[in-house]
Amino acid sequence: MRLRRNEVPVELTWNLHDLFPSHEAWEAEGKAIEADLPAVTQYKGRLAEGPATLAAALKAFETLLERMVRWGTYANLLASGDGSDPENQGMLAKAYALQAQFMAATAFIKSEILALPEGQAAAWMAADPELAVYRPALEQVLIERPYKLHPQTEEALAALSEVSEAPFIIYERARSSDMTFEPITAPDGRTLPVSFSLYEDELELSADTAVRRAAFDSFTRGLKAYQNTLAATFATEVKKNIVLSRLRGYESVTHMLLAPHRIDHGVYHNLLDVIQSELAPHMRRYARLRKRVLGLDEMRYCDIEAPLDPGYNPQVTREEAANLILDALSVLGPEYRAIIERAFNERWIDWADNVGKQAGAFCTSPYGAHSYILLTFTGHMRSAFTLAHELGHAGHFELANRHQRLLNVEPSLFFVEAPSTMNEVLLADHILKGTDDKRMRRWVITQLLMTYHHNFVRHLLEAELQRRIYAQAEKGVPVTAQLLSETKGAILEQFWGGEVVIDEGAKLTWMRQPHYYMGLYPYTYSAGLTCGTLMAQRIKEEGQPAAEQWVEVLKLGGSLPPMELMARAGVDMTSPEPIRKAIAYVGSLIDELEASF
């Protein structure tokens, strides 16, 4: 039986007292934030007065935003830990309501900056050092100049942010609180529970084909029961973005959603096209190897991540995982290692599975506090790789938060997955370097290939689904469960080329990720892994100088556009060559795996 949240040992949960000592303190701070809104709104209608006024307004906004972020994070983390708890649901609703009020009240800042005469903001920044510190944030705002709406319209849209976020909220509520899955019976007669997190973190990775396939069937039935509801949710997200893109005058939804990423469209399409066409032959070879080694009658979608050496599944305790990760990441230097040590010692991590807990894994890093990581730690070594990934986000944002102002911290989504995926490669390299055991080497290579499958295949094909669905929806094609499943099925068939059976459960994978409600997030994993792969190779070859260079890049946060950040790390993403190098590395892993069998 899955534990209720109040039954989980406290040491397996994150310490939210570092944000607020009690719910009462949180409630009081919410009222204080609302009361302090005039500290920002006093500047409404005045930003054109001059650089000093604009700088003062931005400073006031930044100060209140820091409190708002901390306050909202507390409610979000409570709901992530147990979304089935009515009190947590109520607090999250309050958080969304105040966030919407805050966004509406402060929407004038962006509108008035965009209303400044062409070149005015740049001239003021050149003349006023106190304003110049906000250059990255101002430049990010100014790219929207051609698409600004009337200030009153912008304020109305900001006030509707709670409604705009509804598709994401509904999806997460359904996934964490409402979806139920039938338990399965293992060959030895045991009854095994199935949940979203248990399936994705454990059952999908089972060495027992009967268990793995039965779990997938149960998981598919559970998803299918919600397909029409979540298709309507997906369709609402798509329609929202289409309406906004047309309202603002963007050429397409893709143009609107890519604008904040600050990359050329050619780079986006390169990632989708090059990886799908050039990685597919390697992954088909990998699928054939899996089918042969596992002795399967057919290679099903649920078999893609099954262990290739079923009798070898390294177990690891939380303490062992912590020590292994610390040793692997020590190459990044003492400053970085100290951050990771704090994460383990100060309860930054929520480890356990419980009823109502959000599936998957994430890291959030509220400014002025510390990072928080959610995962479901299964005791298998694979969880160590998941944890290394999330600690990559924590290390990145801890460094950026220390060295950048709040408004300059957030990097483009195009870069944000590089530090996390690189940590997985560093962990794998560390384990491989320390062992001659053939089975361990084989297992680690399989874990790396899982990382590339997640980021270069699974998430990339999510991005391809977005590309196709938005193209059809913009032509007026209704977004339905049938369209989503058929389109997803066609994408998977094209990629796997008949080597994997694309069954009903595979076609329903559009229901498995919240990424579809986060703009064009899915493709960024491939960008991050490309950069992370090449950077890990540099660190392996060059040692400390490359590691120090990487840490300095992390400290820059969002103070530079993503292409410049990657260039500082020695990776030129303006051409497809880095992508091809990363794909070649995947091919070399499959070569070694084939040779080991």
Side-chain angles (χ1 to χ4, degrees), residues 439-548:
R439 297 182 83 183
M440 176 58 93
R441 289 190 65 82
R442 179 188 288 165
W443 184 89
V444 171
I445 290 170
T446 304
Q447 302 315 297
L448 270 178
L449 287 171
M450 285 174 65
T451 293
Y452 285 97
H453 172 253
H454 275 277
N455 298 291
F456 269 5
V457 181
R458 182 169 284 176
H459 294 326
L460 190 88
L461 298 187
E462 292 168 9
E464 180 61 26
L465 179 66
Q466 285 185 307
R467 183 161 70 166
R468 295 191 190 187
I469 290 297
Y470 276 115
Q472 292 185 73
E474 286 177 311
K475 294 176 183 175
V477 177
V479 177
T480 63
Q482 181 178 356
L483 176 68
L484 289 165
S485 292
E486 287 178 353
T487 306
K488 186 66 176 182
I491 291 167
L492 291 168
E493 291 278 9
Q494 181 179 332
F495 184 84
W496 289 106
E499 298 294 345
V500 175
V501 175
I502 305 304
D503 52 21
E504 182 180 38
K507 294 175 183 177
L508 287 173
T509 52
W510 59 267
M511 299 178 66
R512 288 176 61 172
Q513 288 290 351
H515 298 151
Y516 299 114
Y517 307 94
M518 301 164 71
L520 293 184
Y521 192 13
Y523 90 95
T524 64
Y525 283 92
S526 62
L529 186 54
T530 297
C531 179
T533 299
L534 300 187
M535 195 64 220
Q537 289 177 350
R538 281 196 59 209
I539 291 173
K540 187 176 180 180
E541 294 164 4
E542 302 171 26
Q544 186 179 358
E548 290 176 352

Side-chain angles (χ1 to χ4, degrees), residues 364-376:
T364 187
S365 303
Y367 196 85
H370 60 68
S371 297
Y372 285 89
I373 292 170
L374 175 143
L375 82 161
T376 301

